[in-house]
Amino acid sequence: MDGLIMTGQLLLGLSILIILHEAGHFLAARAFGIRVEKFYLFFDAWGFKLVSFNYKGCEYGIGWLPLGGYVKISGMVDESMDTEQLAGPPQPWEFRSKPAWQRLIVMLGGVTVNIVLGIFIFWMLTLSNGETFVPNDKIPYGIAPGIIGKEIGLQNGDRITEVNGQPVKRFEELTSSKVLLGNTELTVQRNGETKNIHVPGDVLEKVSDLGIGQFVEPRVKISGISMVEPGGNAQKAGVEVGDSILAINNTPVTYYDEFKALVVANKNKQVEMTVIRDNKTVQIPTKVSAEGTVGVYIPQYHDIPLETIEYGFLEALPVGASKAWGSFMDNAKGLGKVASGQVKANKAFTGPIGIATMFGSTVNWIKFWSLVGLLSMALALMNLLPIPALDGGHAVFLLIEMVKGKPLGDKFMERAQMVGFVILITLMVFVFGNDIIKHVIN
């Protein structure tokens, strides 16, 4: 059932994005009097389709292969590789008979809609939910660095006050692209002294391996146990909800990170947990699992303050637009990291399985629309890449034509489409294969 819910959310989200993207091309073409022969959600590969109908000279339908969608525009060399339509002289309703600037607008119509959609989604989310964040200056006990944070020199209790010389107002900034894209300077207050910590360029790859929690988290005092895993080691040992942990193997623990570190250090071993129960001290020998857990849940953010800012209709627009554009730029910088070799491609790209997992096995509409907004901006960026067969590749060829003053040859365009098609198929095989490998390993 969980898999069905994940798949359903993935298909719904992708369907919204594909339909609106292709509608951008469709509406721009129609605005310039260009005939559109087909409008398909998903691909009707080898002529197979789930449903189709004709309306005003255009065939609308749903294909069986959920790898995208397309509009077939008369007089254009596209992924269908239908070159027979180019045999005769250009017709007034064909793509090839229109001025280059009009054709450029048609090609960028889908990307434009994706960007507008992303901004609109983040605008509405900001309007309805505001912004909730952790004020950095109100974190009571500083930070608790994980493996990655400790590697770069951070310590428990540090207070990170600046990133690249700019004051940190929200704790979330420390786990944002501003820091995680690397080559960043952190200003740290430690025991009354100011330290400078350099974040290396490959930190994002380490985060993708170990998780964001292994960079930095707010430091919190340990609280009472709120849940004991049924059938887990703690329950078998006699640990109860409400117990407050004082020590592990006679080592006192005040903060959650101290408890976690001691438990992880004793994987597959037995530890002695000292707890307070009904104002009495109790010693409980407990087995630690191979994963470094004992089977208890302790609230980690119970004493972390939160602030919420509410926005009016117009106030929310620049905030939402900034979030949308920020995600676009983060993806662009991430591609730059892959191109420069600082992040491996198999760590950077996520396919359908990974995206479905992000949606989760329960329906949360705020999370759903947030992911659709992020995917819309990512789709816009990917389509702008100068690869033949993508919108960006067509746009580059049109810009060259505008500079030269004459179109590139049909044969060249056919070969370019073939090259682009091979590149896209290779990328798809890589992403799908990488996704499957990650899923099997995990």
Side-chain angles (χ1 to χ4, degrees):
M1 188 62 181
D2 289 353
L4 287 175
I5 294 173
M6 288 183 189
T7 303
Q9 291 189 87
L10 174 66
L11 289 175
L12 176 60
L14 290 181
S15 296
I16 292 169
L17 294 175
I18 292 167
I19 289 171
L20 292 178
H21 177 92
E22 299 304 333
H25 295 305
F26 177 87
L27 293 173
R30 284 291 183 88
F32 295 124
I34 302 171
R35 180 181 295 169
V36 180
E37 300 173 13
K38 286 186 174 185
F39 188 134
Y40 264 75
L41 169 64
F42 306 147
F43 290 105
D44 56 335
W46 299 290
F48 295 106
K49 59 198 78 172
L50 300 179
V51 63
S52 67
F53 65 93
N54 284 279
Y55 180 71
K56 292 187 176 180
C58 180
E59 180 183 328
Y60 300 86
I62 301 176
W64 64 274
L65 188 61
L67 297 180
Y70 72 98
V71 289
K72 181 169 174 49
I73 298 174
S74 295
M76 175 183 170
V77 179
D78 56 17
E79 58 271 15
S80 70
M81 298 307 295
D82 180 9
T83 57
E84 293 183 6
Q85 60 181 328
L86 305 179
Q91 300 300 316
W93 62 81
E94 288 187 329
F95 180 82
R96 57 179 171 156
S97 69
K98 303 298 179 179
W101 67 269
Q102 291 185 4
R103 286 178 278 144
L104 182 61
I105 291 174
V106 172
M107 294 317 306
L108 296 179
V111 169
T112 302
V113 168
N114 282 133
I115 292 174
V116 171
L117 175 63
I119 291 173
F120 179 78
I121 288 174
F122 283 109
W123 177 17
M124 292 298 102
L125 287 172
T126 303
L127 175 64
S128 61
N129 304 300
E131 288 187 295
T132 300
F133 60 93
V134 176
N136 190 56
D137 59 354
K138 293 183 180 179
I139 295 175
Y141 312 111
I143 65 165
I147 296 171
I148 304 168
K150 289 177 180 177
E151 280 183 358
I152 67 174
L154 293 171
Q155 296 181 8
N156 288 325
D158 282 351
R159 295 183 180 276
I160 303 174
T161 57
E162 296 179 358
V163 175
N164 291 332
Q166 298 298 314
V168 178
K169 296 181 180 179
R170 306 181 183 191
F171 179 81
E172 289 80 3
E173 295 176 51
L174 302 179
T175 54
S176 71
S177 61
K178 182 190 300 185
V179 174
L180 296 182
L181 285 173
N183 296 319
T184 308
E185 300 299 326
L186 304 179
T187 302
V188 175
Q189 298 298 321
R190 179 185 301 162
N191 299 324
E193 297 182 359
T194 300
K195 304 285 185 180
N196 292 316
I197 303 292
H198 177 72
V199 181
D202 63 348
V203 69
L204 187 60
E205 183 167 335
K206 293 179 179 179
V207 168
S208 69
D209 282 335
L210 301 176
I212 191 63
Q214 292 299 334
F215 185 58
V216 293
E217 294 181 326
R219 196 176 204 199
V220 295
K221 283 191 173 180
I222 198 164
S223 62
I225 295 170
S226 63
M227 185 179 75
V228 178
E229 179 186 350
N233 291 333
Q235 186 185 62
K236 293 175 182 177
V239 177
E240 298 178 3
V241 171
D243 288 350
S244 294
I245 300 171
L246 292 179
I248 300 292
N249 288 341
N250 296 318
T251 301
V253 291
T254 303
Y255 300 101
Y256 178 78
D257 58 271
E258 294 174 334
F259 163 77
K260 184 178 178 181
L262 287 169
V263 171
V264 170
N266 287 279
K267 293 179 180 179
N268 286 322
K269 298 179 182 178
Q270 183 170 285
V271 297
E272 188 169 85
M273 294 176 59
T274 304
V275 305
I276 289 287
R277 180 186 299 165
D278 298 328
N279 296 319
K280 295 179 182 179
T281 301
V282 181
Q283 307 284 345
I284 307 176
T286 309
K287 180 73 183 298
V288 180
S289 71
E291 293 75 31
T293 63
V294 292
V296 297
Y297 176 75
I298 302 170
Q300 296 179 43
Y301 301 108
H302 59 95
D303 55 358
I304 297 297
L306 295 175
E307 289 187 10
T308 300
I309 300 176
E310 302 291 343
Y311 295 96
F313 185 76
L314 294 179
E315 290 176 315
L317 175 55
V319 177
S322 177
K323 290 179 180 179
W325 186 247
S327 71
F328 182 92
M329 293 306 299
D330 289 348
N331 282 317
K333 292 173 183 176
L335 286 177
K337 289 282 185 181
V338 174
S340 65
Q342 291 183 307
V343 176
K344 294 178 182 177
N346 64 326
K347 305 287 179 62
F349 297 114
T350 299
I353 297 175
I355 296 172
T357 303
M358 292 179 194
F359 279 108
S361 58
T362 58
V363 179
N364 180 321
W365 289 112
I366 294 175
K367 182 179 181 181
F368 173 85
W369 286 111
S370 296
L371 282 170
V372 171
L374 291 171
L375 289 171
S376 189
M377 300 307 292
L379 183 61
L381 175 64
M382 295 305 293
N383 271 281
L384 279 175
L385 294 178
I387 299 174
L390 288 180
D391 299 343
H394 286 289
V396 168
F397 293 146
L398 285 166
L399 289 172
I400 293 173
E401 177 184 335
M402 293 168 75
V403 172
K404 288 180 61 179
K406 62 178 182 178
L408 300 171
D410 290 342
K411 287 295 182 183
F412 172 83
M413 293 299 294
E414 290 174 28
R415 294 190 182 106
Q417 284 294 116
M418 286 298 298
V419 171
F421 183 74
V422 171
I423 293 173
L424 290 181
I425 290 296
T426 303
L427 286 174
M428 289 174 67
V429 170
F430 169 78
V431 170
F432 273 82
N434 184 50
D435 223 21
I436 292 170
I437 291 170
K438 284 182 181 179
H439 183 70
V440 170
I441 291 176
N442 292 332

